[in-house]
Amino acid sequence: MPWYALFVKTGEEERVRFFLDKLIPDANRKILIPKRRLIERRQGKAVECMRPLLPGYVLFRTDVGMDVRYYYELKKVPGLLRILKGEQDFLYIKESEIAVILALTGGKDVIGFSELYKKGDEIHVVSGPLKDLEGIIEAFDYRKKRVKVCFELGGQTKRVDLGAEWVQKDLGTPPAPKKS
């Protein structure tokens, strides 16, 4: 079953999910709106919040495929702007690309925090959604407690921040924060 990316109004991803469930009932359909848990600073305090991993996108999978009838049913959904298309047909997301997102989410909608440590120049993941995905990590922001990761989706490179905690290991310690 191929995955498709629906382009929706930013901030209305959950509303689109509601209307997809209501207007197109299908037991063999799966909707994924990946969200990430982050730490943000508000008025000097660290607050945990949820942010969409891909703002403006709803990932959608169905067994029937994307035929003309299904396309016109989707066009009735309020908030849906368009279905991403290639040159001739609807653009489906490659298995290798969706596998990274499915591994991060663990079959759910929420990407939690990972625990990391550094050995030499390499970042190692102790636990969390980034376990065994060290290759997609580009950088770690110690102050914001975020990891910058890079992956492909629909032929485009996406860079996003995910929440992460630094853990002390005998093998490495975090560098001292830079004074500005």
Side-chain angles (χ1 to χ4, degrees):
M1 290 192 304
W3 285 85
Y4 298 94
L6 307 177
F7 188 59
V8 302
K9 290 181 183 176
T10 303
E12 295 193 10
E13 295 90 356
E14 289 296 332
R15 182 172 177 247
V16 168
R17 179 198 303 250
F18 171 78
F19 280 108
L20 282 170
D21 288 336
K22 194 170 185 107
L23 296 174
I24 310 171
D26 182 1
N28 299 321
R29 171 183 37 75
K30 173 115 172 95
I31 300 169
L32 181 64
I33 304 170
K35 297 176 202 69
R36 56 203 165 121
R37 288 176 42 206
L38 294 173
I39 299 289
E40 290 185 349
R41 297 215 178 263
R42 294 187 188 144
Q43 298 177 351
K45 295 182 181 177
V47 178
E48 187 176 308
C49 66
M50 299 279 270
R51 296 281 179 245
L53 180 68
L54 304 165
Y57 289 93
V58 173
L59 305 178
F60 179 78
R61 180 176 76 178
T62 181
D63 332 355
V64 284
M66 195 64 71
D67 61 357
V68 175
R69 181 192 60 81
Y70 216 81
Y71 171 76
Y72 284 109
E73 289 294 319
L74 285 172
K75 290 298 283 181
K76 294 178 187 175
V77 174
L80 177 70
L81 299 176
R82 63 187 165 100
I83 303 164
L84 297 185
K85 295 185 345 181
E87 290 185 21
Q88 295 180 355
D89 204 3
F90 297 108
L91 186 67
Y92 67 90
I93 301 169
K94 296 176 188 170
E95 282 297 321
S96 60
E97 295 174 349
I98 197 72
V100 173
I101 294 173
L102 293 175
L104 287 171
T105 59
K108 303 173 191 156
D109 277 355
V110 179
I111 301 171
F113 289 95
S114 294
E115 293 183 342
L116 312 169
Y117 71 93
K118 191 169 188 176
K119 179 181 178 184
D121 289 338
E122 295 180 10
I123 295 175
H124 297 276
V125 180
V126 176
S127 66
L130 288 170
K131 182 85 172 147
D132 300 325
L133 294 173
E134 284 92 350
I136 66 172
I137 298 174
E138 289 189 337
F140 181 74
D141 187 334
Y142 304 96
R143 191 179 69 78
K144 291 184 178 180
K145 297 183 180 180
R146 295 184 184 186
V147 173
K148 187 166 293 293
V149 298
C150 179
F151 58 90
E152 295 261 332
L153 183 67
Q156 296 180 339
T157 301
K158 301 284 184 184
R159 284 184 175 79
V160 295
D161 290 342
L162 298 178
E165 292 285 332
W166 190 266
V167 294
Q168 295 290 344
K169 284 293 240 185
D170 296 329
L171 303 172
T173 57
K178 295 179 183 176
K179 295 180 182 178
S180 47

